[in-house]
């Protein structure tokens, strides 16, 4: 006799609580002073935004406005709406020195890194899907040249580590073509993920019964029309779960772009750790932020699957 589902849910809940209790016990055994109250300031800065001096010059203060006259001559530059003035009239400042603060909220280093991660992941995913679709169609094409080129691309990319590919793209191609770290990161992630997307698309196309294409051809469609209107829609439905998994992997793989001098979420976490000496709080927070990203994507894909199932 099968146990009721409520009993199984109770068992799973008990196991989760047991794991949580074990983690809590482990934290007590570590000689570490936890400072969770400092985490919000890594996400959102409430003390106002610092205003740096744009160049070396002499300061003139007038209420909430500061005017800086360049030491080497030139037009003075006025900075208005400064709520807290931190320099005095006639003082000499140098480029980058803080001259005041503007009140309000500003994004902390972790939120800035999260935004960079979102940009890189979104762009890379779009290009990877396009590249993967082209290579996937090449893998099942009747043209031997298309099949060979697609096979070489897939096997070459899948057979080498992503980190090595990033080094090649950033240090070699970046130097030759003078591309920025952001472009290099998007390129490396797109090419790497596109190879896996190509195999997912190929498997999805081959899972559609061959009779579907034969029926399309019997109706007078060309091979491309049958692929576009009959085979590909069915293949994409079947490929959606593995494509979602690969997209989640891409978000996690984007943490490697920190080697390209890009301040993504992972590098922002390292910088915060080096300045605050709070490694556990920061890395747990960074892990939670990645989890929220991938979890939101998983929920969206599940809803998309249900919608496509009813179409």
């Amino acid at each position: 006799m099968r146990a009721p589902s409520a009993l199984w849910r109770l068992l799973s809940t008990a196991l989760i609580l047991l794991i949580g209790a074990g983690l809590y016990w482990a934290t007590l055994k570590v000689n570490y002073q936890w400072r969770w109250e400092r985490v919000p300031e890594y996400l959102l800065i409430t003390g106002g935004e610092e205003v740096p001096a744009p160049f070396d010059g002499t300061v003139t203060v007038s209420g909430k406005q500061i005017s800086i006259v360049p030491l080497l001559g030139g037009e003075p530059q006025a900075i208005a709406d400064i709520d807290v003035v931190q320099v005095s009239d006639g003082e000499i400042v140098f480029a980058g020195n803080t001259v005041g603060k503007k009140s309000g909220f500003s994004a902390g280093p972790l939120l800035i890194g999260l935004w960079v991660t979102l940009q890189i992941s979104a762009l890379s995913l779009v290009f990877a899907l396009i590249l993967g679709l082209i290579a996937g169609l090449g893998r099942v094409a009747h043209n031997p040249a298309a099949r060979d080129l697609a096979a070489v691309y897939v096997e070459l990319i899948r057979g080498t580590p992503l980190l090595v590919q990033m080094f090649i793209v950033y240090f070699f191609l970046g130097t030759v073509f003078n591309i920025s770290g952001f472009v290099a990161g998007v390129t490396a992630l797109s090419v790497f993920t596109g190879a896996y997307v190509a195999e997912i698309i190929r498997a999805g196309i081959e899972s559609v019964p061959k009779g579907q294409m034969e029926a399309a051809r019997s109706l007078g469609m060309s091979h491309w029309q049958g692929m576009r209107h009959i085979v590909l829609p069915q293949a994409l439905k079947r490929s959606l779960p593995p494509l979602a998994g690969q997209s989640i992997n891409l978000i996690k793989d984007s943490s490697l772009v920190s080697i390209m001098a890009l301040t993504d979420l992972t590098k922002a976490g390292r910088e915060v750790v080096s300045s605050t000496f709070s490694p556990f709080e920061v890395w747990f927070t960074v892990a939670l932020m990645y989890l929220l990203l991938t979890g939101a994507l998983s929920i969206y894909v599940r809803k998309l699957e249900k919608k496509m199932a009813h179409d």
Side-chain angles (χ1 to χ4, degrees):
M1 180 132 184
R2 293 182 61 186
S5 59
L7 182 60
W8 287 111
R9 290 187 180 276
L10 182 62
L11 177 61
S12 62
T13 303
L15 287 174
I16 292 173
L17 291 175
L18 183 62
I19 294 172
L23 290 174
Y24 178 73
W25 176 81
T27 60
L28 296 178
K29 300 292 288 184
V30 177
N31 185 19
Y32 181 78
Q33 184 178 359
W34 296 87
R35 296 187 179 93
W36 287 107
E37 70 279 358
R38 300 183 61 183
V39 170
E41 70 186 58
Y42 310 146
L43 300 171
L44 195 65
I45 299 174
T46 58
E49 181 183 359
E50 293 185 348
V51 179
F55 43 72
D56 302 345
T58 305
V59 175
T60 301
V61 180
S62 176
K64 290 189 175 182
Q65 178 171 308
I66 294 175
S67 180
I68 302 177
V69 180
L71 292 178
L72 300 178
E75 293 294 326
Q77 180 173 329
I79 306 174
D81 300 324
I82 296 181
D83 297 292
V84 180
V85 177
Q86 296 180 327
V87 290
S88 56
D89 198 30
E91 183 178 342
I92 296 177
V93 295
F94 300 96
N97 288 359
T98 300
V99 296
K101 280 187 177 182
K102 292 184 178 181
S103 62
F105 299 93
S106 58
L110 293 185
L111 274 186
I112 294 174
L114 177 64
W115 174 240
V116 174
T117 294
L118 279 172
Q119 288 179 299
I120 292 175
S121 300
L123 286 173
S124 300
L125 181 58
V126 170
F127 289 121
L129 290 174
I130 295 172
L131 189 58
L133 179 60
I134 295 172
L137 290 173
R139 292 279 278 161
V140 297
H142 294 307
N143 190 310
R147 287 201 309 271
D148 292 343
L149 289 173
V152 169
Y153 161 64
V154 169
E155 296 303 326
L156 179 64
I157 298 301
R158 294 204 309 168
T160 53
L162 173 58
L163 186 59
V164 174
Q165 294 175 27
M166 284 189 166
F167 280 130
I168 294 173
V169 172
Y170 182 57
F171 292 108
F172 178 68
L173 297 181
T175 302
V176 173
F177 296 103
N178 193 27
I179 59 178
S180 65
F182 186 88
V183 174
V186 170
T187 301
L189 284 172
S190 301
V191 172
F192 180 80
T193 306
Y196 289 88
V197 171
E199 284 298 277
I200 293 172
I201 297 294
R202 178 195 61 78
I205 292 174
E206 292 181 346
S207 69
V208 177
K210 294 183 179 179
Q212 297 287 316
M213 178 59 76
E214 294 172 358
R217 297 301 298 272
S218 67
L219 293 175
M221 292 186 182
S222 65
H223 181 81
W224 167 243
Q225 288 175 328
M227 182 67 70
R228 177 184 174 187
H229 296 290
I230 305 298
V231 177
L232 267 182
Q234 299 180 64
L236 290 176
K237 281 185 180 181
R238 302 180 183 199
S239 302
L240 198 55
L243 283 175
Q246 193 58 47
S247 301
I248 290 173
N249 286 336
L250 186 149
I251 294 175
K252 293 185 292 185
D253 290 340
S254 67
S255 62
L256 295 175
V257 301
S258 57
I259 67 168
M260 300 178 177
L262 291 175
T263 308
D264 69 318
L265 182 54
T266 300
K267 187 176 181 183
R270 286 208 303 266
E271 291 177 350
V272 171
V273 168
S274 64
S275 61
T276 62
F277 301 103
S278 303
F280 293 158
E281 299 94 324
V282 173
W283 290 125
F284 277 127
T285 303
V286 169
L288 180 60
M289 294 171 77
Y290 275 112
L291 184 61
L292 290 175
L293 278 181
T294 57
L297 181 59
S298 297
I299 293 172
Y300 172 75
V301 171
R302 280 199 294 269
K303 289 183 178 181
L304 186 60
E305 283 183 53
K306 292 179 180 178
K307 180 180 178 182
M308 294 181 70
H310 290 99
D311 290 343

